[in-house]
Amino acid sequence: MNSRYFHPESLMMSHGYKPALSEGAIKCPIFQTSTFVFNSAEEGKAFFEVAYGQREKQPNEELGLIYSRLNNPDLQILEERLCLWDEADECAVFESGMSAISTVMLEFLRPGDVILYSKPVYGGTDHFVNKVLPQYGIKGIGFTSLQSESDILEMIDAYGAKDKVKLVYVETPANPTNALFDLELCRKVADKLATEEKEVVVCVDNTYMGPLWQHPLKHGADLVVYSATKYIGGHSDLIAGAVLGKQKYMQRVRTLRTFLGNMAGPWTGWLLMRSLETLKVRMQQQAENAVKVADFLADHPKVEKVYYLGHLKEGTEQYQIFKKQLSCAGAMVSFDVKGGEQEAFKFLNSLKLIKLAVSLGSTESLAEHPATMTHSDVSIEDKQAMGISAKLVRLSIGVEHHADIIWDIEQALERC
């Protein structure tokens, strides 16, 4: 059977790798090398022409190996496999999620430009948009999931920024509230802000859903970014990021990565390839556990509110977005404990199985306090507006037995 008929989870074991080129090794070796030998000077010239964007790669032309800052077999094979889930033209893997995010923003924004971004976003992203980019004359304007297309456009007009928006950056579901943003709406906004002289690119942070449960490129996005540390890595043992998308945008992203030098190394690439083999089974188990955990929390007298996509009410706008864009409610559950920071901290300090740590998407369940940890640098006004309060706790549900996770949450809540 031709490989194009296989599902992505089947291809994660073999796609892009030829055992015959590596002594028959069933798994891709770690290519721990800085540089690669050319067969001829002419070959080296041809490889550099493509790598530096001096010409397009010819049909059936193999992408030549030059230097591990530009390409490496472990990264190249990994990037080809990551493209399968999102049906992307190309992928570039980075040393961290933030390096992937910042590279996209630096490539598509210039002094005087505006980035239109969804709120809330991951705290590191919020910091880069509101603290770093302004140092380069780039302004961030935030919008929420409650705003309509006309609301957003009117807001842009009020800022006098209609001709300045160059990038629409969306994180959906939002960290840590699980708020959903309509990607088709975001595409429409970008198109209405675009002109013949000015393109507006739509980039989506899909970290919360991983490559499995949402595919933004099918809903109007030009680029997708991931903290590959999370579900893609899935074992809390590496730091990485990825950008995927349309070829014409990825060529620019890849070129800037070459000269910033923030690509991932071969060891990280090898670890991520290992993790991709179990991505679907891990994420499925995490999602199944999350359903049971969220249902338990919803019925607990010490829990004020649960933020879980599986509990969205039919007929609401958020539910409609969920049914259109997502195939699963995911494994991220946040909740408001009755009380405030003191009660939230008592809960976190009383956990025995669940680990008190930031990050998400790994095999072990994790718990953290967004207001004072991952989102501590977000402005007080935005925290209040977004519901990132002192009583909010974020859970990343792992692959442990669901009964043990629930027992741990129950005994910790008893101490609040």
Side-chain angles (χ1 to χ4, degrees):
M1 180 183 286
N2 190 300
S3 63
R4 66 188 177 92
Y5 294 110
F6 289 120
H7 293 81
E9 59 266 33
S10 300
L11 293 173
M12 289 304 114
M13 272 52 88
S14 60
H15 183 73
Y17 173 59
K18 299 175 182 178
L21 297 179
S22 298
E23 302 293 338
I26 196 167
K27 297 297 183 187
C28 178
I30 302 170
F31 285 84
Q32 195 70 47
T33 182
S34 60
T35 195
F36 298 88
V37 176
F38 303 133
N39 291 316
S40 67
E42 290 80 6
E43 184 181 69
K45 175 185 177 181
F47 290 175
F48 266 93
E49 287 174 342
V50 175
Y52 278 34
Q54 295 168 355
R55 66 173 176 83
E56 294 291 325
K57 186 165 72 76
Q58 299 297 317
N60 301 319
E61 181 182 9
E62 291 287 338
L63 186 64
L65 295 168
I66 299 172
Y67 185 67
S68 282
R69 178 167 53 82
L70 283 76
N71 49 15
N72 176 285
D74 295 293
L75 284 192
Q76 188 171 320
I77 295 168
L78 168 66
E79 289 166 352
E80 290 177 10
R81 292 181 186 179
L82 277 172
C83 284
L84 296 176
W85 292 105
D86 282 292
E87 297 182 15
D89 294 342
E90 293 183 13
C91 170
V93 175
F94 290 78
E95 193 62 28
S96 70
M98 276 310 305
S99 65
I101 292 165
S102 59
T103 299
V104 168
M105 292 182 181
L106 291 173
E107 175 56 35
F108 293 98
L109 296 166
R110 296 292 181 270
D113 289 346
V114 167
I115 175 174
L116 179 63
Y117 72 101
S118 61
K119 296 195 303 186
V121 289
Y122 164 61
T125 305
D126 186 275
H127 180 92
F128 195 79
V129 169
N130 292 300
K131 303 290 176 61
V132 178
L133 290 181
Q135 298 179 47
Y136 298 90
I138 299 167
K139 180 180 178 60
I141 298 177
F143 66 98
T144 73
S145 60
L146 300 176
Q147 291 177 274
S148 66
E149 178 184 339
S150 60
D151 290 337
I152 297 170
L153 291 171
E154 287 173 11
M155 178 181 66
I156 293 295
D157 273 338
Y159 277 104
K162 184 177 180 180
D163 298 326
K164 299 178 181 178
V165 175
K166 295 287 185 65
L167 180 66
V168 177
Y169 184 90
V170 192
E171 182 182 298
T172 183
N175 182 357
T177 62
N178 267 330
L180 295 176
F181 289 81
D182 188 335
L183 294 179
E184 291 178 1
L185 180 153
C186 295
R187 177 76 265 170
K188 289 177 182 177
V189 168
D191 290 343
K192 287 189 176 180
L193 294 172
T195 65
E196 290 184 6
E197 296 78 27
K198 182 196 73 166
E199 192 172 27
V200 180
V201 175
V202 177
C203 179
V204 177
D205 185 336
N206 197 37
T207 298
Y208 249 42
M209 287 291 101
L212 202 63
W213 297 324
Q214 180 176 251
H215 301 113
L217 296 176
K218 296 180 180 179
H219 297 279
D222 298 307
L223 294 169
V224 180
V225 297
Y226 291 101
S227 170
T229 310
K230 312 303 192 289
Y231 288 107
I232 295 172
H235 293 78
S236 294
D237 57 5
L238 60 85
I239 300 289
V243 182
L244 304 88
K246 299 176 181 177
Q247 192 274 334
K248 69 173 183 176
Y249 303 115
M250 285 305 304
Q251 184 175 352
R252 292 176 59 180
V253 171
R254 189 182 296 277
T255 299
L256 185 56
R257 183 187 70 168
T258 293
F259 296 105
L260 290 178
N262 54 1
M263 71 296 159
W267 174 233
T268 297
W270 187 90
L271 284 172
L272 286 168
M273 277 194 281
R274 170 219 59 181
S275 295
L276 282 181
E277 296 186 6
T278 61
L279 176 70
K280 186 171 183 178
V281 291
R282 285 187 285 107
M283 292 182 71
Q284 283 181 326
Q285 185 61 59
Q286 288 168 295
E288 290 173 13
N289 285 347
V291 174
K292 297 178 175 66
V293 170
D295 288 347
F296 169 80
L297 287 169
D299 292 332
H300 199 283
K302 290 189 178 181
V303 174
E304 190 174 293
K305 182 178 180 179
V306 178
Y307 304 84
Y308 172 62
L309 297 176
H311 288 173
L312 292 172
K313 292 182 180 179
E314 289 190 34
T316 63
E317 188 174 337
Q318 287 283 288
Y319 180 81
Q320 291 170 355
I321 297 172
F322 171 72
K323 296 300 288 184
K324 179 170 62 173
Q325 289 179 187
L326 286 76
S327 60
C328 176
M332 296 301 298
V333 182
S334 295
F335 68 94
D336 289 332
V337 64
K338 287 185 178 178
E341 182 178 297
Q342 182 178 355
E343 287 74 18
F345 279 19
K346 281 184 179 178
F347 170 81
L348 292 168
N349 291 336
S350 299
L351 293 169
K352 300 181 183 301
L353 175 71
I354 300 171
K355 300 297 185 291
L356 173 53
V358 297
S359 197
L360 59 96
S362 291
T363 50
E364 70 280 347
S365 293
L366 301 174
E368 63 109 5
H369 189 251
T372 61
M373 297 176 188
T374 53
H375 293 70
S376 61
D377 196 44
V378 176
S379 70
I380 295 174
E381 295 78 16
D382 279 351
K383 283 181 188 176
Q384 291 175 341
M386 298 297 102
I388 306 174
S389 67
K391 59 188 174 183
L392 181 69
V393 172
R394 191 190 76 181
L395 301 176
S396 172
I397 306 303
V399 301
E400 305 95 339
H401 195 287
H402 69 271
D404 296 330
I405 301 172
I406 291 172
W407 172 87
D408 196 23
I409 293 171
E410 184 174 27
Q411 64 84 24
L413 283 171
E414 287 175 359
R415 289 162 171 75
C416 292

